[in-house]
Amino acid sequence: MTVTRPSRPGRLRRYPRRRHVVGDLRYWRNVRLPGLDRRSDIYVWLPPGYRRGRERYPVVYLHDGGNLFDARTSFAGATWRADEAFTWLHSQGVDAIAVGVPCSPDRRIEEYTPYLGQEVLAAQPDLGAADADSYVTFLTDHLKPWVDATVRTRPEREHTLTAGSSMGGVVSMHAWVRRPDVFGGIGAFSTAFWVPGEQHLLEVEQAIAAPHPPTRFYLDVGGRETPDDPTRQLAYRHDTERVVAALQAADVPVRYTYDSAAYHFETAWAARLPGALRWLLQEYAVRPPGAG
């Protein structure tokens, strides 16, 4: 039986508001997202020198893609300044392609979570079914093949990363749990592990403890994620450090950052993004003293 994948989503266009973005941002306009019952633009940022060379690049797949580059498309009114972060990486000798997928306008929680914990269901009883598996399938079986066929990527798992914040952190971890054969690096910023709850945390711990291909992780949390809700603030830190402890126990490469002054907002993630990317792309494999 032959399985036919959907064709690529047309021409990768130059971003129309380039003056608001540093570097070479392209996009696919109004693409149908297979399995997600919605359409969206998809952003692809290319590193300096891409058009002049033949080099291939790692790819970082980032969630909440409308919040990455241009404040005009951000539902938060601020961005991760990802274009600046990747441009800075280039100045440090580290290059990568960034791919941004905007979140669902009305089903963000459902699309980014594999489960819905009791706390969330009690507060939001009208939520639909948890659907992160469909989102991960879109990333791995549709978007990644599109990107690999369109731009010069290094398609191997060790050069394929995914990252996001809050619910984007949840779905980044879930993507690795479901498809460790695809993703070799995970960035989870201010992850809302309390949304999927204990079942997700147990799955993450079990996946970490089980044999798996070499993977590196970056996790962080701020000290003011929810300053008006001390119980949830504690959950943000406790759950993140629980995952970090599992990674440490399994001797998996991990960097953990606790920023005591950081809020749960794009500006906080923008501040931490350059260092996180540099570690995930290069510094996790730092050479011993005196080597080269």
Side-chain angles (χ1 to χ4, degrees), residues 5-7 9 31-40 42 111 131 133-139 141-143 146:
R5 288 197 178 102
S7 59
V31 176
R32 183 179 70 85
L33 309 187
L36 300 182
D37 193 29
R38 68 182 178 96
R39 305 182 73 91
S40 177
I42 296 176
E111 207 168 85
D131 202 24
D133 282 347
S134 295
Y135 182 75
V136 171
T137 296
F138 164 71
L139 288 180
D141 294 357
H142 299 281
L143 181 58
W146 293 346

Side-chain angles (χ1 to χ4, degrees), residues 19-247:
R19 65 184 181 278
H20 298 288
V21 178
V22 176
D24 188 358
L25 182 63
R26 312 290 181 95
Y27 79 136
W28 281 305
R29 183 176 180 276
N30 194 31
V31 176
R32 183 179 70 85
L33 309 187
L36 300 182
D37 193 29
R38 68 182 178 96
R39 305 182 73 91
S40 177
D41 294 347
I42 296 176
Y43 304 100
V44 179
W45 188 92
L46 300 174
Y50 178 90
R51 287 184 292 171
R52 298 190 300 273
R54 296 182 179 179
E55 185 177 352
R56 291 185 171 273
Y57 299 90
V59 182
V60 184
Y61 291 88
L62 296 160
H63 317 297
D64 289 315
N67 292 20
L68 299 175
F69 304 106
D70 186 348
R72 297 187 184 192
T73 64
S74 173
F75 62 74
T79 75
W80 284 51
R81 296 167 59 184
D83 50 334
E84 297 176 40
F86 281 88
T87 300
W88 175 81
L89 279 177
H90 171 74
S91 75
Q92 304 299 303
V94 183
D95 280 314
I97 293 168
V99 177
V101 185
C103 66
S104 169
D106 54 3
R107 297 186 66 250
R108 179 176 180 269
I109 291 178
E110 294 97 320
E111 207 168 85
Y112 282 178
T113 190
Y115 308 104
L116 289 167
Q118 291 302 313
E119 179 184 352
V120 177
L121 288 173
Q124 301 184 59
D126 296 332
L127 286 173
D131 202 24
D133 282 347
S134 295
Y135 182 75
V136 171
T137 296
F138 164 71
L139 288 180
T140 57
D141 294 357
H142 299 281
L143 181 58
K144 185 178 187 301
W146 293 346
V147 172
D148 289 340
T150 304
V151 294
R152 297 193 311 273
T153 69
R154 302 181 73 177
E156 303 85 1
R157 69 171 301 278
E158 59 265 32
H159 304 301
T160 304
L161 297 78
T162 188
S165 65
S166 193
M167 293 305 304
V170 170
V171 80
S172 296
M173 297 297 298
H174 183 66
W176 177 75
V177 169
R178 287 289 184 262
R179 295 299 304 271
D181 59 308
V182 173
F183 298 105
I186 303 298
F189 297 71
S190 301
T191 304
F193 287 112
W194 56 272
V195 173
E198 183 67 14
Q199 190 169 354
H200 176 55
L201 284 164
L202 287 173
E203 282 193 354
V204 169
E205 289 173 328
Q206 289 164 2
I208 291 169
H212 59 263
T215 313
R216 64 272 191 191
F217 293 80
Y218 169 89
L219 292 93
D220 68 26
V221 70
R224 300 182 180 181
E225 303 285 354
T226 55
D228 297 328
D229 188 339
T231 300
R232 185 164 293 174
Q233 173 64 49
L234 182 62
Y236 271 107
R237 182 172 182 179
H238 175 269
D239 293 345
T240 297
E241 292 183 349
R242 174 176 165 179
V243 172
V244 171
L247 291 164

